[in-house]
């Protein structure tokens, strides 16, 4: 998202400190938060990249309860389940989001990435890297 053609001097990255699964709706909520803050303050002078994709299918074997539901249940004999969501399996130290900005937008990008941490189920850190142009 943002300006895809311009080369920016700095990369501000959000890095996970845990090994875990992050659901697709959590990734989307964090993306919306970061993108909205960057767009409102920097206009089109940034580039936001999501570095993870939810490939892992989450399944649920729904059990029926209540009166006369006994004949519809299969219990654990056919417990494969239906897909109810997706998740990204993330290892410790993986970069979740990358915001590329110039020197003027460095602090804004750091604040916008940090504001998305409550939307994610892990502890995170922020690192600033300088690009060679």
């Amino acid at each position: 998202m943002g300006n895809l053609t311009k080369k920016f001097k700095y990369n501000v990255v959000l890095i996970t400190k845990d090994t875990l699964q992050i659901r697709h709706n959590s990734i989307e909520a964090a993306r919306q938060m970061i993108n909205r803050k960057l767009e409102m303050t920097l206009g089109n002078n940034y580039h936001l990249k999501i570095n993870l994709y939810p490939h892992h299918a989450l399944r649920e074997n729904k059990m029926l309860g209540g009166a006369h539901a006994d004949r519809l249940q299969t219990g654990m004999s056919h417990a494969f389940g239906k897909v109810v969501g997706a998740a990204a399996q993330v290892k410790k130290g993986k970069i979740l989001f990358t915001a590329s900005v110039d020197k003027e937008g460095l602090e804004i990008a750091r604040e916008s990435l940090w504001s998305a941490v409550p939307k994610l189920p892990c502890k995170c850190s922020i690192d600033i890297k300088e690009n060679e142009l």
Side-chain angles (χ1 to χ4, degrees), residues 86-130:
Q89 294 184 337
V90 180
K91 293 194 180 345
K92 181 179 179 178
K94 167 102 168 125
I95 296 174
L96 304 178
F97 294 94
T98 303
S100 300
V101 292
D102 288 325
K103 188 165 178 88
E104 308 84 47
L106 209 53
E107 189 61 30
I108 294 167
R110 194 185 71 72
E111 288 172 7
S112 64
L113 285 174
W114 196 248
S115 68
V117 172
K119 306 271 186 202
L120 299 169
C122 58
K123 294 179 182 172
C124 297
S125 65
I126 292 179
D127 194 17
I128 298 172
K129 300 178 181 179
E130 192 170 345

Side-chain angles (χ1 to χ4, degrees), residues 2 38-46:
L38 287 174
E39 195 172 44
M40 297 287 271
T41 53
L42 296 177
N44 198 27
N45 199 20
Y46 71 96

Side-chain angles (χ1 to χ4, degrees), residues 65-79:
H68 304 291
D70 303 341
R71 285 170 268 143
L72 300 175
Q73 280 185 339
T74 57
M76 293 302 288
S77 63
H78 303 289

Side-chain angles (χ1 to χ4, degrees), residues 6-51:
K6 183 179 175 184
K7 300 289 183 197
F8 294 97
K9 187 163 173 86
Y10 295 98
N11 282 342
V12 183
V13 294
L14 186 68
I15 302 169
T16 182
K17 291 183 178 179
D18 301 327
T19 300
L20 71 155
Q21 288 185 357
I22 302 177
R23 290 182 60 118
H24 70 285
N25 49 1
S26 179
I27 296 168
E28 177 65 13
R31 181 200 66 84
Q32 286 180 356
M33 174 74 84
I34 296 168
N35 194 42
R36 185 178 305 120
K37 284 199 174 208
L38 287 174
E39 195 172 44
M40 297 287 271
T41 53
L42 296 177
N44 198 27
N45 199 20
Y46 71 96
H47 178 223
L48 178 65
K49 182 178 179 185
I50 305 169
N51 295 83

